[in-house]
Structures are given as structure tokens and as C-alpha cells.
Amino acid sequence: MKSLNTAATSRLRAESEADAVGVSTGGANLTLDDLPPPQTRRWVMRRKAEVVAGVRAGLLTADEACRRYDLSMEEFQSWQDMIDRHGVHALRVTRLQDYRRRED
């Protein structure tokens, strides 16, 4: 399994910090190679955040990401919304119900 390179790790960390104040980070040296492989089926917090970061960096569109990873647009949008509202840690599957409960 491939680990994140330094540029992707830095970008995710910066986005996580920027999310708290609602600021989008500028372009880092993120590439398509930094994204999860197209056959990914197990979606952990880090992989979800990588895909969102890739779309936000302009590496691919949301539609392309959904096709590449066999996601619904609703699912991808929920990842973006959770990051925007609560930060990257909200993408943890074990925490989703907690964050959704707060929004009700």
C-alpha cells in the first residue's frame, strides 16, 4: 500500500487547519499519483480526504472522481461538506453519526 508523499501530507494538514476557519488552501504539488488507485473499495478518512484535495487542486473534476472511484455525486459531496463543516477528521466512519447528529 502506498503511503502519502510529503506534498500530499502537507496539503491535507494545511486544509485541515484551514477548514477550521473556512479558508481554502492554494495549490500544492499534488499529482494524480498521490490519489488512491481507481479500484479502491475501502474508504478510510485519509483516502477520502485525498480525493477531495485532488478535486480542489484541479487534478480532476468531481464528475471524474465519481466515475474513477465508482462514487455517487451525493457521496462525494457529503465528503466535501463534512470537511467544510467539521474538518478532515469528520470523515472517519465511526464519527459520521456524531457529526450528523450535531447538524439536526
Side-chain angles (χ1 to χ4, degrees), residues 10-85:
S10 297
R11 180 173 179 81
L12 290 174
R13 186 175 299 118
E15 280 192 358
S16 180
E17 292 167 2
D19 288 336
V21 292
V23 177
S24 178
T25 56
N29 295 325
L30 194 64
T31 68
L32 284 175
D33 290 336
D34 298 321
L35 301 180
Q39 67 274 15
T40 298
R41 294 293 172 249
R42 185 169 176 269
W43 287 103
V44 297
M45 176 183 70
R46 177 183 55 84
R47 290 184 188 133
K48 293 174 187 178
E50 288 172 341
V51 173
V52 172
V55 170
R56 290 181 175 178
L59 295 177
L60 66 170
T61 66
D63 286 332
E64 291 168 338
C66 289
R67 279 192 303 275
R68 177 179 171 133
Y69 297 109
D70 194 28
L71 304 170
S72 68
M73 184 56 78
E74 181 181 35
E75 183 174 19
F76 176 77
Q77 186 64 48
S78 74
W79 295 353
Q80 289 193 88
D81 292 344
M82 294 305 283
I83 290 173
D84 291 342
R85 290 183 185 148

Side-chain angles (χ1 to χ4, degrees), residues 80-99:
Q80 289 193 88
D81 292 344
M82 294 305 283
I83 290 173
D84 291 342
R85 290 183 185 148
H86 307 288
V88 174
H89 294 288
L91 295 174
R92 282 190 161 161
V93 173
T94 57
R95 302 301 304 188
L96 285 177
Q97 286 184 335
D98 292 340
Y99 288 112

